[in-house]
């Protein structure tokens, strides 16, 4: 979900897919966003479509809101990676708040202030930002309904606490 531009760290997403492919694990990757609006996004689209796992990819360029919601409802995981660079260290992607409401498990990397809220194996899957250290084993094990449900529920709890505008406003006023 994004534009496949540098800040979205498409290299890490690609490497995660390569890792799953090498382990011969079946997966389907839906790329949803406005990636064709940027030359970098168009380049990454080509890279994904020419990859060894190209048969596992479905592309959805700039779908309308109704279609986007339907697509997000259909997935098990939502990836949200941030490129480890100074500009991204303290930027908070508001997209996180949007997608937590879908009750899906987030796949993220451990960069920036997101790790203050998200804990690996507790409310998301947190991967290393180092591409060479990517390991998909924990995702493969997550097919257990009980652990998946726990992760998704704990992620949604962030909407009621850490990401609740009314709670944060009360704290500021106090």
């Amino acid at each position: 979900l994004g534009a496949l531009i540098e800040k979205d760290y498409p290299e890490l997403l690609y490497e995660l897919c390569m890792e799953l492919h090498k382990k011969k694990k079946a997966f389907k990757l839906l790329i949803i966003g406005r990636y064709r609006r940027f030359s970098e996004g168009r380049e990454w689209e080509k890279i994904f479509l020419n990859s060894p796992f190209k048969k596992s990819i479905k592309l959805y360029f700039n779908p309308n809101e109704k279609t986007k919601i339907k697509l997000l409802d259909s997935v098990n995981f939502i990836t949200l990676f941030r490129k480890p660079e100074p500009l991204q260290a303290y930027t908070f992607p508001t997209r996180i708040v949007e997608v937590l409401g879908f009750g899906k498990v987030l796949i993220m990397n451990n960069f920036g202030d997101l790790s203050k809220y998200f804990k690996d194996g507790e409310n998301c899957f947190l991967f290393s930002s180092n591409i060479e250290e990517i390991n998909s084993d924990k995702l493969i094990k997550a097919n257990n309904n009980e652990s998946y449900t726990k992760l998704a529920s704990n992620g949604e709890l962030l909407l009621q606490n850490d990401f609740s505008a009314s709670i944060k406003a009360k704290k500021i006023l106090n």
Side-chain angles (χ1 to χ4, degrees), residues 122-171:
E122 186 179 313
N123 56 15
C124 73
F125 284 116
L126 212 53
F127 281 91
S128 169
S129 293
N130 185 342
I131 289 175
E132 288 78 32
E133 295 176 10
I134 202 82
N135 185 333
S136 62
D137 290 344
K138 55 187 167 186
L139 284 183
I140 294 166
K141 291 176 187 169
N143 278 341
N144 170 329
N145 279 340
E146 187 178 308
S147 65
Y148 179 91
T149 303
K150 178 184 161 235
L151 284 165
S153 296
N154 288 345
E156 278 187 289
L157 283 176
L158 290 171
L159 291 173
Q160 297 169 20
N161 299 305
D162 297 285
F163 302 148
S164 167
S166 60
I167 289 174
K168 291 298 175 187
K170 285 178 188 174
K171 283 183 181 178

Side-chain angles (χ1 to χ4, degrees), residues 12-56:
L12 193 61
L13 178 60
Y14 185 90
E15 195 55 40
L16 177 59
C17 292
M18 277 301 293
E19 168 83 8
L20 290 167
H21 176 75
K22 286 176 189 173
K23 290 182 177 179
K24 299 186 185 325
K25 297 296 176 183
F27 68 94
K28 183 167 50 169
L29 173 68
L30 307 185
I31 298 176
I32 306 166
R34 297 181 179 135
Y35 45 86
R36 290 186 190 140
R37 289 191 178 168
F38 307 95
S39 60
E40 186 180 358
R42 291 188 297 273
E43 284 303 311
W44 273 105
E45 178 184 16
K46 289 177 195 169
I47 291 168
F48 276 95
L49 290 176
N50 290 315
S51 70
F53 52 86
K54 62 186 170 199
K55 291 181 181 172
S56 299

